[in-house]
């Protein structure tokens, strides 16, 4: 937006956005208003709209604009305008009445709270706000909202306050906490019967407590704490108020994990929560599910807050800690009829089982064994399908997602009760004459989750389970059959140790493959698992497997299941003698090639996922080549070479016919990747025609999959001196279209996949033929591009750029050739300072914290190459950072700069540098 629009134009835009029935006009208005909000003119326009208060929509737009500008564009305002903005916002707050729309109030209060945090010259804003608004009843509402939001916004990633400013704010909040507490109590005394006032007071108290601005020792016997427990006890409490009270108690309990020196309050709160068991039971009886969920949250957080002490005290004294009673409350919730209530507790059980596993103390674990036995029993009940359910659980069903979480939890906790014991108990439950199909299916489901934990030598229960499955009656519910088949697949290691059962199992699975209603997909998965685990016993069944391969399209299974079966079959074929393997693999590949060739010869539009889609067949071929891994001697012709030579012309034709279709090109490159990896250096005959085709197509369409495939070729062939020049020529051909794409405005940001694959390719050259690559005239422009890409906050792209620099710097290490070392030193002399500047800038302003470990890798390599230059480069980069933020707060003192430099340069490992970087960037975030 090049010039400021008039106020009337803005009103028209807002009106069009909210009231125009023409969707296109509405979209135009939305885009125009969005551009306006990004412009520097929006500050003044929003101020004018709020002063005029013409209508609800324009006021909301203005308030939302002011809030977003303060959050994301505060740097646009000169320091001289900060006080004016504060005065305007205070004026707007003072004009709020009970009729003001709450959405507008929230936006204005957010704007004020963010300004309090950003504007370092605004000293003691909490006191200023309370002096201005606490005495006027109409202003108490927005004041409570602002006081609630200030602590909540301290860690906002938009504000980037920096640790110095956050520390300053925390000190101010603690200093003013007693004043705020008195104000909250006064609000309850004057308007305590008003539910909305009670709710705002509790929310504000919760907010200050969550950032530890209020000392726990100051709230023993506090009125608000007592109020929250009374609200939770009362059946008359409305749902919204109940949730607010529950949030407060959960926050208070979480504070006990950090501060453990308030035994009186701790005891009061623990007993208070334990006394909520009866209100919980009443909520269940009254089917008040929202309140039940709130109680479940409280009980779970109680157990989590005392978890460390529960374990420590029990471990030291040998007796259960008193807080272990909290687990009984949680298990009461796990027993609730609604599985969504039980799911709330899952994280607690994960944490507890992990701690017990790490401590590896059998006596300690025995204290918790009864609780986990009850848990597994409850999970068994929750995993049951409805008695009148027909068929299988459909994909996308929330209950299916819940069962997956149950499976993960059961695998994690079963070691405490013993996998064999659990498996036996489930099996014994199947023996009950009165057992229903849904309870049988649930037991089989849980057995399948722990089957791989059962010792393969087990001979008491598993043989009976397998026998029972193989002899299931024909009228067995489809879900029971489905889960039984999956259980067989999970027992693959046991079957491998009991080959006498293999033939019967294979016959059963083949029969299941030929059924309907979802059973074939389970059979395909089980057969794949058995092929992988029992490969030593499966070669005598090759003819049967080939029959299955020939009949794949007659089964009711997805293409994904077909691919899984092909994987299992090829694992077995890889154990055959070379000639037999080649013959069998050609047979299987031929089944997929025939329809693919037919597609190439006719003009049929590809339908994704259908047989007219080349990818349908290419993915199958890729699976065959990927999982064909025979043992081949150096002097032996690879049994898959002739298979590849037959397939390559077809794939070349696919490149030609579908060259504009990125998806088909990606899957074709994927096939060739697996084929090259399979055959290795013996695939040289197809290298030249493949590279020519890749270069030609990349120049036309810039499909990044060709860059990725290029990196595979370099990895496999670059050490072959006869291939090196051709592969470097390939890179040269890739560079021009790549740089054209990346050099336009926002090119790096808009094409992260290209950045990722291009620098992955360059890293391969550095790993396989570094000297030739470093001597190439391309290296300068590649490094310049990599320097620009340092700040790209895209997971894969950033990793590839950082690995490129790591590989580049590693070339200068001792032990490498002198020529390589000299070339690397020259590159560092020319680009080292810029590299460090970009790394530090990216770390502070662009990259997320979890990306800093990759930056640390580069720094470690640079330091190992030349520690003295590393120190100088780092000093320059730190000196170049701003010492104050847009709010006028000091971001980094001279002392902190020296300490950061000293810590980073003194760190010897990647992990240490990474920690040092993360601590440093907190100064700016």
């Amino acid at each position: 937006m090049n010039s400021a629009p008039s106020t009337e134009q803005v009103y028209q835009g807002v009106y069009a956005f909210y009231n125009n029935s023409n969707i296109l006009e509405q979209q135009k208005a939305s885009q125009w208003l969005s551009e306006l909000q990004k412009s520097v003119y929006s500050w003044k326009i929003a101020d004018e709209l709020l002063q005029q208060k013409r209508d609800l929509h324009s006021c909301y737009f203005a308030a939302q604009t002011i809030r977003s500008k303060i959050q994301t564009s505060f740097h646009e305002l000169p320091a001289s305008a900060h006080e004016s903005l504060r005065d305007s916002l205070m004026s707007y707050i003072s004009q709020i009445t009970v009729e003001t729309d709450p959405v507008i109030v929230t936006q204005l209060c957010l704007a004020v709270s963010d300004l309090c945090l950003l504007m370092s010259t605004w000293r003691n804003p909490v006191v200023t706000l309370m002096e201005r608004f606490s005495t006027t009843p109409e202003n108490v509402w927005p004041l409570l909202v602002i006081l609630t939001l200030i602590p909540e916004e301290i860690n906002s990633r938009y504000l980037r306050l920096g640790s110095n400013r956050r520390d300053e704010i925390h000190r101010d909040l603690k200093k003013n906490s007693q004043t705020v507490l008195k104000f909250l109590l006064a609000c309850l005394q004057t308007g305590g019967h008003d539910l909305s006032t009670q709710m705002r007071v509790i929310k504000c108290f919760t907010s200050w407590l969550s950032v530890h601005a209020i000392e726990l020792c100051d709230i023993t016997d506090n009125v608000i704490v007592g109020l929250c427990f009374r609200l939770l006890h009362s059946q008359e409490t409305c749902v919204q108020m109940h949730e607010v009270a529950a949030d407060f108690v959960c926050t208070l309990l979480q504070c006990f994990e950090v501060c453990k020196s308030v035994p009186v309050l701790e005891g009061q709160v623990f007993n208070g929560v334990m006394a909520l068991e009866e209100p919980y039971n009443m909520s269940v009886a009254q089917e008040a599910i929202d309140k039940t969920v709130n109680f479940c949250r409280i009980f779970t957080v109680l157990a989590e807050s005392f978890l460390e002490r529960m374990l420590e005290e029990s471990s030291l004294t040998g007796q259960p800690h008193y807080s272990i009673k909290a687990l009984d409350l949680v298990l009461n919730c796990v027993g609730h009829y609604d599985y969504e209530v039980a799911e709330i507790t899952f994280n607690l059980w994960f944490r507890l089982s992990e701690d017990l596993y790490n401590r590896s103390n059998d006596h300690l674990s025995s204290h918790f064994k009864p609780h986990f036995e009850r848990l597994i029993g409850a999970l068994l009940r929750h995993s049951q399908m409805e008695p009148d359910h027909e068929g299988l659980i459909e994909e996308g069903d929330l209950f299916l997602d819940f069962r997956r979480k149950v499976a993960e939890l059961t695998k994690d906790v079963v070691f405490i009760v013993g996998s064999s014991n659990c498996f036996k108990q489930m099996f014994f439950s199947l023996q009950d004459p009165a057992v229903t199909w849904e309870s049988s299916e649930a037991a089989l489901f849980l057995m399948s989750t722990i089957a791989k934990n059962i010792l393969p030598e087990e001979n008491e229960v598993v043989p009976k389970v397998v026998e029972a499955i193989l002899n299931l009656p024909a009228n067995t519910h489809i879900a029971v059959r489905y889960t039984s088949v999956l259980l067989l697949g999970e027992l693959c290691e046991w079957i491998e140790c009991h080959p006498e059962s293999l033939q019967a199992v294979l016959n059963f699975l083949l029969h299941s493959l030929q059924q309907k209603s979802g059973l074939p997909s389970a059979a395909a998965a089980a057969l794949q698992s058995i092929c992988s685990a029992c490969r030593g016993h499966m070669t005598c069944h090759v003819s049967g497997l080939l029959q299955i391969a020939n009949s794949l399209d007659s089964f009711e299974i997805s293409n994904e299941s077909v691919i899984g079966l092909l994987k299992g079959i090829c694992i077995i074929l890889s154990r055959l003698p070379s000639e037999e393997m080649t013959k069998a693999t050609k047979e299987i590949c031929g089944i997929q090639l025939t329809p693919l060739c037919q597609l190439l010869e006719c003009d049929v539009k590809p339908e994704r996922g259908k047989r007219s889609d080349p990818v349908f067949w290419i993915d199958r071929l890729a699976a065959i080549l990927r999982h064909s891994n025979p043992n081949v001697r150096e002097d032996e012709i690879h049994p898959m070479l002739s298979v590849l030579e037959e397939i390559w012309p077809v794939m070349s034709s696919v490149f030609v016919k579908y060259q504009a279709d990125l998806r088909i090109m990606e899957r074709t490159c994927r096939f060739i990747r697996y084929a090259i990896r399979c055959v290795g250096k013996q695939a040289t005959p197809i290298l030249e025609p493949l590279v020519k085709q890749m270069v030609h197509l990349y120049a036309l369409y810039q499909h990044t999959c060709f860059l990725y495939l290029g990196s595979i070729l370099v990895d496999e062939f670059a050490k072959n001196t006869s291939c090196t020049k051709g592969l470097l020529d390939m890179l040269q051909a890739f560079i021009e279209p790549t740089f054209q794409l990346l050099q336009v405005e926002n090119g790096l940001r808009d094409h992260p996949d290209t950045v990722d694959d291009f620098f992955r390719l360059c890293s391969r050259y550095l790993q396989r033929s570094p000297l030739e690559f470093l001597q190439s005239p391309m290296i300068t422009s590649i490094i310049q591009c990599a320097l620009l890409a340092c700040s790209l906050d895209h997971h894969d792209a950033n990793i590839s750029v950082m690995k490129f620099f790591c590989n580049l710097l590693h070339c200068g290490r001792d032990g490498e050739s002198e020529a390589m070392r000299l070339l690397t030193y020259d590159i560092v002399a020319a680009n080292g300072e810029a590299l460090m500047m970009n790394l530090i800038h990216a770390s502070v302003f662009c990259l997320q914290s979890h990306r800093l470990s990759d930056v640390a890798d580069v720094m470690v390599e640079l330091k190992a190459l030349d520690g003295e230059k590393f120190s100088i480069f780092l000093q320059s980069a730190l000196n170049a950072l701003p010492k104050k933020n847009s709010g006028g707060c000091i971001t980094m003192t001279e002392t902190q700069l020296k300490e950061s430099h000293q810590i980073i340069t003194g760190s010897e490992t990647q992990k240490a540098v990474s920690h040092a970087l993360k601590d440093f960037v907190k100064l700016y975030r």
Side-chain angles (χ1 to χ4, degrees):
M1 194 165 281
N2 297 323
S3 60
S6 67
T7 310
E8 281 306 315
Q9 284 178 300
V10 179
Y11 279 122
Q12 290 170 14
V14 172
Y15 181 84
F17 176 68
Y18 283 104
N19 300 292
N20 200 316
S21 57
N22 186 315
I23 294 176
L24 286 176
E25 292 299 319
Q26 198 177 50
Q27 289 175 344
K28 282 183 183 177
S30 173
Q31 187 175 354
W32 187 82
L33 290 172
S34 178
E35 290 299 317
L36 171 62
Q37 285 185 318
K38 293 174 185 174
S39 73
V40 71
Y41 311 114
S42 59
W43 291 99
K44 183 180 178 183
I45 289 168
D47 189 36
E48 290 174 359
L49 296 183
L50 286 170
Q51 286 180 26
Q52 294 175 15
K53 292 199 285 285
R54 190 179 294 185
D55 57 57
L56 175 65
H57 290 148
S58 63
C59 285
Y60 172 70
F61 171 76
Q64 195 261 347
T65 299
I66 286 284
R67 189 269 304 159
S68 67
K69 294 298 286 185
I70 291 173
Q71 275 191 344
T72 61
S73 307
F74 192 62
H75 60 276
E76 292 177 353
L77 278 185
S80 57
H82 291 176
E83 286 191 19
S84 173
L85 174 62
R86 178 191 63 188
D87 294 342
S88 292
L89 287 171
M90 298 274 272
S91 173
Y92 299 142
I93 295 294
S94 66
Q95 296 169 39
I96 290 173
T97 66
V98 290
E99 287 80 25
T100 308
D101 190 282
V103 177
I104 294 174
V105 174
T106 300
Q107 294 296 318
L108 288 174
C109 290
L110 261 173
V112 172
S113 61
D114 287 345
L115 186 63
C116 289
L117 301 174
L118 286 166
M119 186 175 164
S120 61
T121 54
W122 186 357
R123 295 296 176 186
N124 236 336
V126 171
V127 173
T128 305
L129 289 164
M130 292 182 68
E131 288 173 350
R132 174 80 179 267
F133 299 122
S134 63
T135 55
T136 309
E138 291 81 6
N139 294 152
V140 169
W141 165 24
L143 176 58
L144 282 170
V145 175
I146 293 169
L147 291 176
T148 303
L149 289 169
I150 288 173
E152 289 178 358
E153 290 290 288
I154 286 176
N155 293 310
S156 168
R157 64 188 181 91
Y158 297 106
L159 299 183
R160 300 180 69 92
L161 295 172
S163 58
N164 288 329
R165 177 60 178 160
R166 273 195 298 275
D167 290 344
E168 184 181 348
I169 294 163
H170 271 118
R171 288 194 295 272
D172 283 346
L173 293 182
K174 284 190 173 185
K175 185 172 65 176
N176 294 311
S177 62
Q178 289 297 321
T179 306
V180 171
L181 274 175
K182 289 175 184 176
F183 169 65
L184 295 178
L185 292 172
C187 288
L188 283 182
Q189 289 169 356
T190 56
H193 298 295
D194 177 44
L195 288 180
S196 58
T197 300
Q198 283 187 358
M199 202 176 297
R200 291 181 191 121
V201 166
I202 296 171
K203 281 184 175 180
C204 186
F205 195 4
T206 305
S207 177
W208 281 63
L209 202 59
S210 68
V211 296
H212 311 293
I214 296 175
E215 298 289 346
L216 293 182
C217 57
D218 292 337
I219 60 172
T220 305
D221 299 319
N222 182 274
V223 171
I224 302 173
V225 178
L227 171 63
C228 288
F229 277 101
R230 287 198 303 276
L231 289 167
L232 291 169
H233 270 278
S234 173
Q235 296 177 40
E236 307 303 319
T237 304
C238 68
V239 171
Q240 292 88 345
M241 180 66 82
H242 196 275
E243 183 175 357
V244 168
D247 287 342
F248 168 78
V249 174
C250 287
T251 301
L252 180 56
L253 288 168
Q254 286 164 343
C255 290
F256 292 148
E257 284 195 75
V258 179
C259 181
K260 300 171 185 173
S261 56
V262 280
V264 175
L265 179 65
E266 192 177 286
Q268 288 176 352
V269 174
F270 185 89
N271 293 330
V273 174
M274 294 300 293
L276 293 176
E277 183 174 11
E278 185 55 33
Y280 164 79
N281 291 333
M282 288 300 299
S283 75
V284 175
Q286 294 171 355
E287 297 187 2
I289 189 66
D290 292 325
K291 291 185 178 181
T292 299
V293 165
N294 290 334
F295 285 123
C296 183
R297 286 196 296 124
I298 292 170
F299 298 155
T300 304
V301 174
L302 173 69
E304 288 180 327
S305 299
F306 282 84
L307 196 58
E308 189 177 331
R309 271 165 287 184
M310 198 186 297
L311 291 163
E312 286 291 340
E313 293 295 325
S314 299
S315 182
L316 288 172
T317 65
Q319 298 298 319
H321 188 249
Y322 76 88
S323 61
I324 202 169
K325 292 182 289 185
L327 294 180
D328 293 319
L329 284 181
V330 177
L331 282 167
N332 198 11
C333 297
V334 176
H336 189 272
Y337 59 82
D338 189 333
Y339 68 80
E340 291 183 1
V341 175
E343 194 175 330
I344 295 169
T345 73
F346 280 14
N347 187 61
L348 164 67
W349 303 112
F350 276 121
R351 279 186 61 185
L352 178 54
S353 65
E354 184 179 10
D355 278 343
L356 289 172
Y357 179 81
N358 290 334
R359 291 171 188 267
S360 190
N361 183 328
D362 290 341
H363 183 68
L364 178 63
S365 296
S366 68
H367 294 317
F368 298 93
K369 184 175 179 180
H371 298 92
F372 282 99
E373 287 174 339
R374 286 175 60 191
L375 173 66
I376 291 173
L379 295 178
L380 176 63
R381 290 191 298 276
H382 281 304
S383 298
Q384 291 182 17
M385 299 162 68
E386 292 296 330
D388 58 352
H389 187 94
E390 296 180 0
L392 304 174
I393 310 171
E394 294 183 4
E395 194 64 44
D397 192 311
L398 291 177
F399 183 56
L400 184 62
D401 182 54
F402 170 74
R403 295 228 310 183
R404 286 175 178 147
K405 292 175 182 175
V406 166
E408 290 174 16
L409 181 58
T410 305
K411 287 176 184 176
D412 258 46
V413 307
V414 74
F415 75 92
I416 297 163
V417 300
S419 298
S420 294
N421 291 334
C422 183
F423 198 85
K424 286 176 186 176
Q425 289 303 315
M426 297 295 165
F427 176 68
F428 292 151
S429 72
L430 295 175
Q431 309 304 302
D432 187 337
V435 69
T436 60
W437 76 263
E438 65 272 16
S439 57
S440 295
E441 192 278 335
L444 289 164
F445 164 69
L446 282 192
M447 289 167 77
S448 70
T449 66
I450 60 174
K452 282 202 165 73
N453 294 356
I454 304 300
L455 292 174
E457 298 80 21
E458 205 277 346
N459 274 316
E460 182 185 349
V461 174
V462 178
K464 296 175 184 176
V465 172
V466 172
E467 183 182 0
I469 291 174
L470 297 180
N471 292 289
L472 283 173
N475 63 347
T476 303
H477 193 286
I478 184 65
V480 177
R481 296 185 70 85
Y482 180 88
T483 306
S484 297
V485 170
L486 291 178
L487 175 53
L488 280 181
E490 293 299 311
L491 287 170
C492 57
E493 293 176 8
W494 183 90
I495 294 170
E496 197 268 338
C497 279
H498 296 77
E500 68 277 4
S501 64
L502 184 56
Q503 184 65 61
V505 169
L506 292 176
N507 291 341
F508 178 81
L509 293 179
L510 181 57
H511 176 73
S512 299
L513 267 176
Q514 297 165 344
Q515 303 305 302
K516 309 289 183 183
S517 307
L519 204 57
S521 62
L527 189 56
Q528 178 188 334
S529 297
I530 289 170
C531 284
S532 298
C534 307
R535 60 188 73 182
H537 304 295
M538 287 289 288
T539 50
C540 58
H541 298 283
V542 165
S543 59
L545 293 175
L546 290 176
Q547 287 178 5
I548 291 174
N550 277 285
S551 308
L552 286 173
D553 292 315
S554 67
F555 303 138
E556 266 194 12
I557 55 177
S558 65
N559 203 39
E560 184 180 353
S561 294
V562 168
I563 289 168
L565 270 175
L566 288 171
K567 170 187 173 180
I569 292 169
C570 290
I571 287 171
I572 305 305
L573 297 184
S574 295
R575 299 182 69 87
L576 296 175
S578 291
E579 289 184 11
E580 291 181 38
M581 179 189 176
T582 303
K583 181 182 176 184
T585 308
K586 282 185 178 180
E587 182 181 336
I588 296 177
C589 289
I591 300 167
Q592 327 309 325
L593 282 173
T594 300
L596 182 57
C597 290
Q598 289 170 353
L599 288 177
L600 291 169
E601 291 167 3
C602 61
D603 191 18
V604 178
K605 185 178 179 181
E607 256 189 288
R608 183 176 293 207
K610 305 293 185 183
R611 294 174 185 276
S612 62
D613 184 0
V615 167
F616 189 88
W617 309 104
I618 293 169
D619 281 356
R620 293 185 181 189
L621 290 165
I624 294 168
L625 272 291
R626 182 181 187 181
H627 299 288
S628 296
N629 297 306
N631 292 321
V632 183
R633 298 192 309 271
E634 283 286 330
D635 59 342
E636 186 181 357
I637 295 176
H638 199 288
M640 295 299 291
L641 177 58
S642 60
V643 178
L644 174 57
E645 288 175 336
E646 283 189 11
I647 300 176
W648 161 244
V650 180
M651 292 300 163
S652 181
S653 299
V654 171
F655 275 144
V656 173
K657 180 165 183 175
Y658 300 103
Q659 58 185 270
D661 191 314
L662 172 60
R663 184 178 63 92
I664 297 175
M665 291 298 97
E666 285 179 338
R667 299 302 250 278
T668 309
C669 286
R670 181 170 167 267
F671 163 80
I672 294 174
R673 166 195 169 192
Y674 292 139
I676 296 292
R677 290 299 196 198
C678 174
V679 178
K681 296 176 177 59
Q682 292 188 35
T684 307
I686 74 163
L687 181 60
E688 187 176 346
L690 172 60
V691 169
K692 284 182 179 178
Q693 205 162 15
M694 287 166 57
V695 166
H696 171 70
L697 293 175
Y698 186 75
L700 293 175
Y701 300 102
Q702 290 84 57
H703 295 322
T704 63
C705 52
F706 291 118
L707 296 175
Y708 183 83
L709 183 54
S711 69
I712 303 299
L713 299 180
V714 172
D715 194 40
E716 287 289 343
F717 300 107
K719 285 198 172 181
N720 184 339
T721 53
S722 64
C723 300
T724 305
K725 184 181 182 306
L727 291 171
L728 282 170
D729 291 341
M730 176 185 73
L731 177 61
Q732 181 68 61
F734 281 153
I735 278 183
E736 185 177 347
T738 299
F739 285 2
Q740 284 178 354
L741 202 64
L742 300 181
Q743 284 172 348
V744 299
E745 187 177 0
N746 297 323
L748 291 164
R749 188 195 67 191
D750 294 341
H751 302 283
D753 291 341
T754 301
V755 176
D756 174 25
D757 290 327
F758 179 74
F759 284 104
R760 189 193 304 268
L761 172 60
C762 292
S763 285
R764 293 292 194 192
Y765 283 101
L766 285 167
Q767 292 164 351
R768 297 303 182 196
S769 51
L771 183 58
E772 293 83 355
F773 180 70
L774 293 174
Q775 289 173 333
S776 165
M778 300 179 280
I779 188 67
T780 302
S781 57
I782 290 171
I783 290 172
Q784 292 304 311
C785 183
L787 288 170
L788 294 173
C790 281
S791 58
L792 185 59
D793 188 20
H794 179 276
H795 180 270
D796 293 332
N798 194 264
I799 286 177
S800 290
V801 171
M802 296 304 163
K803 282 188 175 176
F804 165 76
F805 278 120
C806 285
N807 288 317
L808 176 66
L809 295 168
H810 197 83
C811 291
R813 286 280 190 102
D814 291 333
E816 302 295 344
S817 73
E818 185 64 21
M820 270 170 54
R821 291 180 64 237
L822 291 173
L823 285 167
T824 308
Y825 275 99
D826 288 344
I827 288 169
V828 169
N831 302 282
E833 185 171 11
L835 172 60
M836 184 62 78
M837 287 277 189
N838 288 16
L839 290 175
I840 293 295
H841 183 273
S843 299
V844 170
F845 298 111
C846 305
L847 303 180
Q848 297 180 54
S849 293
H850 66 272
R851 291 265 59 84
L852 299 184
S853 58
D854 301 307
V855 175
D857 284 329
V858 181
M859 288 188 169
V860 168
E861 287 292 344
L862 183 55
K863 184 183 175 187
L865 187 67
D866 192 326
E868 187 177 340
K869 283 185 178 176
F870 173 84
S871 177
I872 295 168
F873 295 158
L874 178 61
Q875 187 71 52
S876 298
L878 295 179
N879 287 336
L881 290 171
K883 302 301 182 290
K884 286 187 177 182
N885 63 20
S886 54
C889 181
I890 294 174
T891 50
M892 178 171 59
T893 65
E894 284 300 319
T895 301
Q896 287 171 326
L897 187 150
K898 289 177 182 176
E899 286 177 352
S900 298
H901 182 272
Q902 186 177 358
I903 292 170
I904 294 174
T905 53
S907 299
E908 297 298 328
T909 64
Q910 182 270 356
K911 191 173 182 180
V913 174
S914 180
H915 282 309
L917 268 180
K918 287 176 182 176
D919 289 339
F920 169 70
V921 300
K922 286 177 185 175
L923 295 170
Y924 287 85
R925 295 186 177 180

